[in-house]
Amino acid sequence: MIRETNEWLTFERRFQQIIQLSNHTVGQNRLVYSPNWIAAQSALIRFGQQIGLTVMVDNYGNVYLDLPGKDDQVIATGSHMDTVIDGGKYDGLYGVLGGLQAINALKNRLGTPQHTLRLISFSEEEGSRFNITFSGSKYYALHQSVTALTDADGISFEQARSQAVKQLQSLPNVIAKRPAIPASFTELHIEQGPRLITSHDQIGLVSGIVGQRRWTVTVQGESNHAGTTPMNERHDALQAAVTMISSLNQHAHQLSDNLTFTVGQLNVSPNTSNVIPGTVTFTIDARHADDHVLDVFEQSINTTEHQLADSQIKVHFKRYVKDSPATFDTTLLSQNELIAQQLGLTSRVMTSGAGHDSYVVNQVSPTTMIFVPSEGGISHAPNEFTQPADLKAGIALLMASLQAQAY
Amino acid sequence: MIRETNEWLTFERRFQQIIQLSNHTVGQNRLVYSPNWIAAQSALIRFGQQIGLTVMVDNYGNVYLDLPGKDDQVIATGSHMDTVIDGGKYDGLYGVLGGLQAINALKNRLGTPQHTLRLISFSEEEGSRFNITFSGSKYYALHQSVTALTDADGISFEQARSQAVKQLQSLPNVIAKRPAIPASFTELHIEQGPRLITSHDQIGLVSGIVGQRRWTVTVQGESNHAGTTPMNERHDALQAAVTMISSLNQHAHQLSDNLTFTVGQLNVSPNTSNVIPGTVTFTIDARHADDHVLDVFEQSINTTEHQLADSQIKVHFKRYVKDSPATFDTTLLSQNELIAQQLGLTSRVMTSGAGHDSYVVNQVSPTTMIFVPSEGGISHAPNEFTQPADLKAGIALLMASLQAQAY
C-alpha cells in the first residue's frame, strides 16, 4: 500500500505538473509529438532522473525509465502519454505516473531488485492526431513503422516524429535506444466504463480485450418528393435503414448481453425535410470477447438485407475493422487476484471493451491490466474522474505485483 | 383539341426558346429575379404582344397577358415562371405556355370572348432563392408583401425585386399594374408524382391540396464510449430515434393509406463510429387531405416519447409548418370532368400532395387545377418529363374549359 503520505504527495505533485502543461480551455491536449506532449515526456524524463533511473528514448518517442536489477530480465509497467482532443486527466497518464510511483516506492523501500524494473511511457495510443492507433507500442513490441500519414494541418508523421524525438533524445543523459522486450508487462489504467462503479469493486483485473468489428453500410433507395409520392411507391432509404438497425439491435440483444452494438455514425442524402431520402450510410461497431459470437452477428448483418420488404432497396456492407479478441496471461491475472485479496481490495475479473497498448504488447510478452473505477463511466472527456482512494488502491496493487515479480 | 399541327409547333417553339434561356450545366435555373428569369418573363411578354394581348406587370414581377372580352369579368389561367435549382423543364412553365397557347388558339378560332381571358405568369412559387414560397400569388391574390429576406449571396429581396421589375415594366407597351381578382382561376401543371402514370389516366382533376405539417424532433441521450459502456447502461439517442420513427411509420400506415409520412432529414451528434450518439435531430413531414387525420397523427407524435423504455432520453418536438388542406371549387371540377369525357380523355379526381399557386388563389377566387402525367413521377430534377401527347391533352382540356367559361 501507499502507506506513507509523502509517497502519495509525490505522485500528486508530478500528476499536477504534467496536467498543467497540457491544460486547454476545455480539456487535456497532448496529441503525439505536439509541444504539450514534448513538455510532458520531458518532465517524465526529469522525474526519472531525479530518482536515479536510467532513461532511454527510442525513435518513436517512447520513454523507458529503468531501475536496473541484479540480472537483465525486465519486468515492465506503463501506459501512454498522449490524450484525445480535449480529453481527461487520467486516461494514460495515471498508468505512467502510477507505474513510476510504484517503482519509486519499491526502490526506496527495498533497494535494487533481482530483475530490472521498467516504466514505459508509450508515445501514442489514441489515434487522435494521425489516423493510426497504438503507433508507440507497435513500434516497440512489433517493430512496426508508420508510413505516409499527415495530420489535420498537413504536417507529416515523419516530420512531427523526427523533430519531437530529436528534442527528447538530446536531453542530458538520455540514451537513444529501443530496449528489448520485457518478461512481463502490467498496465494500470482507468476503466473508462461504468462496470466497477456499478458493482462497487475497487479493482478490475483484466482477462483480455474484446474483439471488435466495424462496418460501413450503404442503403441505396430512391430520392423523391415527400408530398406527391404515395407511400406504396416509395423506396425510402432511411426507413429501410431504420428497419435494419432495429432488427440488428434486437438480434444483438438476443445473441449475448455482452455483445455491444453501436450505430455511431449515420448520414442521410439529400437530407432535406420535404424529400424522401435516396441514400443513407451508417456504421456498425460490434464487440465481444468471443470471436464466434461476432461471427454469428456478422452472418445476421449479411442477411438483414433480405428481410427488407422492398426489393428495390440496395444494401452494401463493407467491413473495415476486424480485430480478434485478446486473452491476457492467466498466471499474472491469478497472481494479481491473490494480491488484491491480501491487500483487502475488492476486485472483479473483466474484459476490456476498449483497446489498449496491452493489446499490442500481449502479442510478444505475458501481459495483464489493472483497472480502477471511472466515476459515471465517463472517459475521453474533461469530466473524467477517479477518486483518490481508487487511484491509491490501483498503485498499491501494481506495486505489490511488481514486487512479487521483481524482488 | 390542338388539332392543327402549327398550333402545337408554336407551343413547342415558345417552350424551347424559354428553356434555352435557362439551360444550366445540369438543369433549368430560373430563380426569381435572376437574369434567366428576367429573360424568360421578357420573352413571354413578347409572345403576348406578338398575338395582340394586353400586357401588365405588377410590382412583384407577376406578368398578366389579357385578351379583353366584351365585359370586365376575368377568366384566368396560369402558373409560375421560376424553377428550383437545377430543376426540370415542365414544372411551372408548362402551365404558363400551355395557358398562352389555349388563349392564342381560342382568339384565332373564336375571336373576342364574352369575358376577358387572362394568362398569369407568377413570379415565384418554389422558394428556392429566398426563404419564402408563393410570393408572386400571395402578392396578387392576398396583397401580402415580403419583408427583410436575403438570398444565399446576401442580396436582399427588395433589391432583386425592384431591379427586375424595373426592367420588365420599362419594356415597350407594358402597363405597370396589379389587376383585379378574376372570377375563376385554372392552373395547368404536371403532376410531379406517379399516380397518373400508375393508373394510366391522361388527366388529373385536382379536388384540393393536402394539409401539411412539419416538425423538428430533438432526441437527447448521453454520448459515451461504444466499447466500454454496457448495453443496459446506455442512453443511445439514435436507437431511441429509430424506435420512434419505426413506431410513427407504423402508426401512419394504420391511420390512412393516403397519409404521407417522411423523415427527410436526420442528423447525429457527435456522429463518430465508436461513440454512442448523444443527440439526434430529425424532421417529420406529414400530409393528408383531411385535417382530422393530421390531428390524430399529431397526437401520436406527442405520445411517442412515453413509449420509450429509457426514461433518461429526453425528446422535444417543435411544429414549424401547419398548412390546412385546401378544397377547390366543385363546379369547375365537375365541368372539367364532363369536358374531359367529351374530349375522350381518361381522367381521375385526385388531391395534390404538393403546394401550388392555386392554394393561394383559391382563398379569393373559385379555383381548379388540371394535372398531366409525370414520367416516373419525377420532378424537381433535370430528367422531369411529360410525353408530348399528354402535354397536348392537358392544353386541349384547358382550352375547352376556358371556352366554356369565357365564350
Side-chain angles (χ1 to χ4, degrees), chain A residues 49-69:
Chain A
Q49 289 173 337
Q50 282 161 5
I51 60 171
L53 303 184
T54 306
V55 179
M56 291 166 281
V57 175
D58 70 18
N59 286 336
Y60 267 50
N62 295 312
V63 171
Y64 309 87
L65 305 180
D66 275 14
L67 172 62

Side-chain angles (χ1 to χ4, degrees), chain B residues 134 185-189 204-210 289 324-334 336 349-371:
Chain B
F134 312 116
F185 180 68
T186 303
E187 183 171 7
L188 178 65
H189 207 282
L205 299 165
V206 184
S207 58
I209 293 185
V210 294
S324 298
T327 305
F328 288 159
D329 187 76
T330 50
T331 309
L332 289 170
L333 184 79
S334 306
N336 283 346
V349 173
M350 62 195 291
T351 52
S352 168
H356 289 285
D357 290 308
S358 287
Y359 183 89
V360 176
V361 180
N362 184 58
Q363 294 171 47
V364 295
S365 184
T367 294
T368 198
M369 287 190 83
I370 298 168
F371 275 174

Side-chain angles (χ1 to χ4, degrees), chain A residues 299-314:
Chain A
Q299 280 171 12
S300 75
I301 286 185
N302 291 330
T303 55
T304 315
E305 183 182 358
H306 307 303
Q307 293 163 16
L308 294 174
D310 182 350
S311 64
Q312 289 196 46
I313 299 272
K314 299 297 170 206

Side-chain angles (χ1 to χ4, degrees), chain B residues 394-407:
Chain B
I395 296 171
L397 175 57
L398 175 64
M399 203 173 107
S401 176
L402 295 178
Q403 180 181 341
Q405 291 181 70
Y407 284 87

Side-chain angles (χ1 to χ4, degrees), chain A residues 113-191:
Chain A
Q114 180 61 37
H115 307 312
T116 295
L117 278 168
R118 174 174 299 159
L119 182 274
I120 309 177
S121 174
F122 287 116
S123 56
E124 186 279 317
E125 188 253 16
E126 301 285 3
S128 294
R129 180 171 179 185
F130 299 97
N131 190 22
I132 185 169
T133 53
F134 313 116
S135 60
S137 50
K138 281 175 177 168
Y139 179 77
Y140 173 52
L142 309 177
H143 291 206
Q144 282 181 9
S145 297
V146 173
T147 52
L149 287 178
T150 52
D151 70 6
D153 296 328
I155 299 169
S156 75
F157 183 90
E158 260 317 289
Q159 189 191 337
R161 181 197 67 75
S162 63
Q163 286 181 359
V165 166
K166 198 175 163 188
Q167 283 194 53
L168 295 183
Q169 289 182 341
S170 61
L171 291 172
N173 300 315
V174 166
I175 304 161
K177 185 181 178 184
R178 174 169 61 186
I181 300 300
S184 79
F185 180 68
T186 303
E187 183 172 7
L188 178 65
H189 206 283
I190 59 168
E191 182 198 338

